[in-house]
Amino acid sequence: MGFPLELALRYMRSKKSGFVSVGTVFAIIGVALGVAALATVISVTGGFRAEFREKVLGVNAHVLVLKYSDFRDYREVMDKMRGIEGVKGVAPFVIDPMMVTHGGKTATGVLLKGVDPKLMPSVLDLPRHIVEGNLEGLRLPDAKPPERRRKSLLDELPDESLPPAGLPEKSPLLFDVARKASEVADAGPPDAAGASEEPPDAEGAAALPGDAPQGSVVPDGGYQSELPEDDVLPADVDPDPCASPEAVKKLPGIVVGKTLKDNLGLALGDCVQVTSPTIGFVYSKGSIRAPVAKQFRVIAVFDAGFDQYDSKLVYTDLFEAQAFGDAGDSVTGIEMTVKDIDNAKEITRIVESKLGDGVYHTMDWEELNHGLFTALRIQQILMSLVLALIIVVAAFTVIATLIMVVLDKKKEIAVLKAMGATNGALLRSFLYQGAIIGLVGTTVGLLLGILVCRGLLVYSFPLDPKVYFISKLPVQVKPMEFVMVGVFAVLVCLVATVWPARYAARLRPAEAFREQQ
């Protein structure tokens, strides 16, 4: 043991008891508390970020490919995506906002996501989150893509209005106008009194069905009547698909979240109605579309641990979700999973270059949830900076402790310098004191932080899922983050030691003896 280290250990002891001095103990406690607080907060904020990422990726893929127009060529695009290195799974999906009704309860703003039962497990962790039931029956045996209901203008024209083979196909309306003009010319000009209109054929007017009513059809008492209080249609006019258990078993399957199940009072095998949010007839995308309502059978319940998904997301077969639209075999987009989630951005750029078309748009999981993860990152950084001030405050305790040692040991320092102790040896002696305080305090603080984090994991501190979206306080202990906190604390203690150490090293023996007189 060298002279500077031996001197440092001696100055850290108390004169009377021989143990560590009170000032040194308080300096170590201050550093330990600051390190424990910073390590715990970093673990908790990191746990929030990891928990949200796990929940988001549990029901979402890593990379999405969307299209600004109807996505009909999704099978060709999927074949291209499978050839990209690093892509693990590819699957199509359809997602639209719906209303879900069961009994007298209705949930609005629910996202209905249509997935391919065979391809979905390769891109989503949904099977792992199933807590009741299973995915069998999600697709009916005879299911197939729906027919396209929305057609172009030429598709809606009758066959007789199409132009003959000799005329260009691009001017059917001009041909129709010319044909109408020719019919008018052949009929000749009408006379002034409109005599060209012939009276209706008497025989044609009398050609009525044999059971047609004769005479007046006004009922006795006129047309006055009272409407029933309950407007209930007979079963043969408006059959209820959910009335018969046998009919319910033949319905397509649907997977609901745990919170939505509790809100609607659902159970496995129950019949639910999913309705598009369109009210009445609206003119949309060149066609008149009425609201669509379909019945489904609850086959499974999932618990993603994220209240936003458990209450606002349901899954069904891709073909059933397509039937709510009017574009036929078209999807919202394609979702992919990658082998390394950290390479999602790079694979997104590769996908964009491979498609090479402005009608496609790609997004990775972080861009899709940019606001959420940016807020979590900023929160972690700001809270870490604020709590790092505790270590800085502890460093001032170290400075105060060393200054008191220097002032108390001025005479001894003067004697040591008179006997030949160098400035460098005294400087190292006080630096050793700061380093020892920093190392001991950091070690104690890290151990305390690990115990606190472990206690939070064991106790599972509950949270309100409606506020925090998760049910318990997440904690993620990363060794590298603990090492960074420890290094930061030791460096702060060393920096705080520099000024008192330099003051002690520059102390002149004559001045020290003069002040003692």
Side-chain angles (χ1 to χ4, degrees):
M1 183 183 299
F3 167 72
L5 182 57
E6 184 178 359
L7 183 64
L9 294 176
R10 179 180 177 182
Y11 283 170
M12 293 178 66
R13 292 196 296 267
S14 175
K15 290 182 179 180
K16 298 179 181 180
S17 62
F19 294 101
V20 181
S21 63
V22 177
T24 303
V25 171
F26 277 103
I28 292 175
I29 291 176
V31 174
L33 292 178
V35 170
L38 182 56
T40 302
V41 167
I42 289 179
S43 299
V44 172
T45 53
F48 267 103
R49 188 172 185 274
E51 188 77 9
F52 279 121
R53 188 175 76 169
E54 181 182 355
K55 302 306 181 186
V56 167
L57 296 181
V59 293
N60 291 287
H62 302 162
V63 179
L64 299 181
V65 179
L66 308 175
K67 193 175 182 180
Y68 293 110
S69 59
D70 288 343
F71 205 158
R72 300 184 179 280
D73 57 338
Y74 65 93
R75 292 183 175 86
E76 292 80 2
V77 176
M78 288 171 57
D79 293 337
K80 294 180 181 179
M81 298 304 101
R82 291 190 182 98
I84 298 177
E85 184 179 358
V87 174
K88 187 168 61 174
V90 183
F93 72 94
V94 173
I95 189 167
D96 286 300
M98 298 289 173
M99 294 188 302
V100 180
T101 305
H102 175 67
K105 299 180 180 180
T106 300
T108 59
V110 178
L111 292 177
L112 177 71
K113 186 172 184 179
V115 296
D116 190 322
K118 295 181 179 179
L119 300 178
M120 179 268 297
S122 64
V123 295
L124 300 179
D125 291 338
L126 179 62
R128 186 167 61 89
H129 295 293
I130 298 295
V131 293
E132 295 182 41
N134 53 63
L135 297 178
E136 295 182 6
L138 189 63
R139 171 170 289 181
L140 298 178
D142 56 347
K144 61 180 181 179
E147 297 292 334
R148 183 184 181 188
R149 295 204 305 264
R150 188 174 76 239
K151 299 181 180 181
S152 64
L153 179 62
L154 293 180
D155 294 335
E156 295 177 356
L157 288 175
D159 295 339
E160 63 214 17
S161 65
L162 295 178
L167 292 179
E169 295 183 0
K170 63 181 180 179
S171 57
L173 298 180
L174 293 179
F175 172 76
D176 185 64
V177 173
R179 182 172 59 83
K180 294 292 184 181
S182 177
E183 292 176 357
V184 173
D186 294 340
D191 56 8
S196 62
E197 296 182 0
E198 297 181 359
D201 187 6
E203 296 181 358
L208 296 175
D211 57 350
Q214 302 293 330
S216 176
V217 294
V218 178
D220 296 339
Y223 288 103
Q224 297 180 355
S225 61
E226 295 181 0
L227 295 176
E229 295 181 358
D230 297 331
D231 190 9
V232 180
L233 296 177
D236 55 344
V237 177
D238 184 22
D240 184 8
C242 300
S244 171
E246 296 299 326
V248 172
K249 293 180 180 179
K250 299 179 181 179
L251 294 175
I254 191 171
V255 183
V256 301
K258 184 177 182 298
T259 305
L260 182 62
K261 170 209 167 189
D262 296 336
N263 292 341
L264 296 181
L266 295 172
L268 293 180
D270 282 353
C271 177
V272 298
Q273 178 171 294
V274 178
T275 309
S276 62
T278 309
I279 301 177
F281 289 85
V282 297
Y283 188 78
S284 174
K285 297 182 180 179
S287 63
I288 297 178
R289 182 164 57 92
V292 178
K294 293 176 65 67
Q295 286 72 31
F296 295 87
R297 177 172 57 93
V298 179
I299 61 172
V301 178
F302 71 91
D303 184 7
F306 197 21
D307 193 68
Q308 286 293 95
Y309 293 143
D310 293 339
S311 63
K312 295 296 183 180
L313 186 61
V314 296
Y315 293 88
T316 188
D317 179 32
L318 179 69
F319 298 156
E320 301 297 334
Q322 289 175 334
F324 283 94
D326 52 4
D329 189 16
S330 177
V331 299
T332 304
I334 295 172
E335 50 189 359
M336 297 178 288
T337 53
V338 299
K339 296 178 181 178
D340 187 359
I341 189 175
D342 295 327
N343 293 336
K345 283 190 176 295
E346 181 64 26
I347 291 181
T348 300
R349 288 191 288 267
I350 296 175
V351 170
E352 289 180 348
S353 61
K354 197 173 185 67
L355 293 176
D357 196 334
V359 299
Y360 296 100
H361 175 56
T362 59
M363 300 176 65
D364 64 279
W365 65 272
E366 199 165 5
E367 182 182 358
L368 184 63
N369 304 275
H370 178 73
L372 173 63
F373 289 103
T374 301
L376 290 174
R377 175 63 69 183
I378 294 175
Q379 181 189 43
Q380 184 180 25
I381 293 174
L382 292 180
M383 292 187 68
S384 299
L385 290 176
V386 170
L387 290 174
L389 295 177
I390 299 179
I391 299 179
V392 176
V393 172
F396 282 95
T397 307
V398 176
I399 295 175
T401 301
L402 294 181
I403 289 177
M404 291 179 64
V405 171
V406 172
L407 295 177
D408 186 52
K409 305 295 184 181
K410 264 189 176 184
K411 187 176 180 180
E412 296 182 12
I413 294 173
V415 171
L416 291 174
K417 295 194 73 172
M419 294 176 62
T422 61
N423 292 345
L426 292 174
L427 179 65
R428 290 196 303 273
S429 175
F430 284 94
L431 288 177
Y432 285 154
Q433 290 186 55
I436 292 172
I437 293 174
L439 287 173
V440 175
T442 299
T443 303
V444 174
L446 292 178
L447 292 176
L448 183 60
I450 292 175
L451 290 176
V452 172
C453 293
R454 186 170 181 82
L456 292 175
L457 288 173
V458 173
Y459 176 67
S460 297
F461 190 82
L463 297 176
D464 186 359
K466 294 183 179 180
V467 178
Y468 299 98
F469 306 119
I470 53 179
S471 58
K472 61 182 181 179
L473 185 69
V475 180
Q476 185 184 45
V477 179
K478 288 186 176 181
M480 183 56 62
E481 292 180 349
F482 272 62
V483 170
M484 292 175 61
V485 171
V487 171
F488 172 74
V490 173
L491 289 177
V492 170
C493 292
L494 286 175
V495 172
T497 312
V498 171
W499 186 81
R502 293 188 62 184
Y503 177 79
R506 292 180 177 182
L507 186 65
R508 295 182 179 183
E511 295 179 358
F513 284 118
R514 186 183 306 114
E515 293 177 1
Q516 294 295 328
Q517 293 177 356

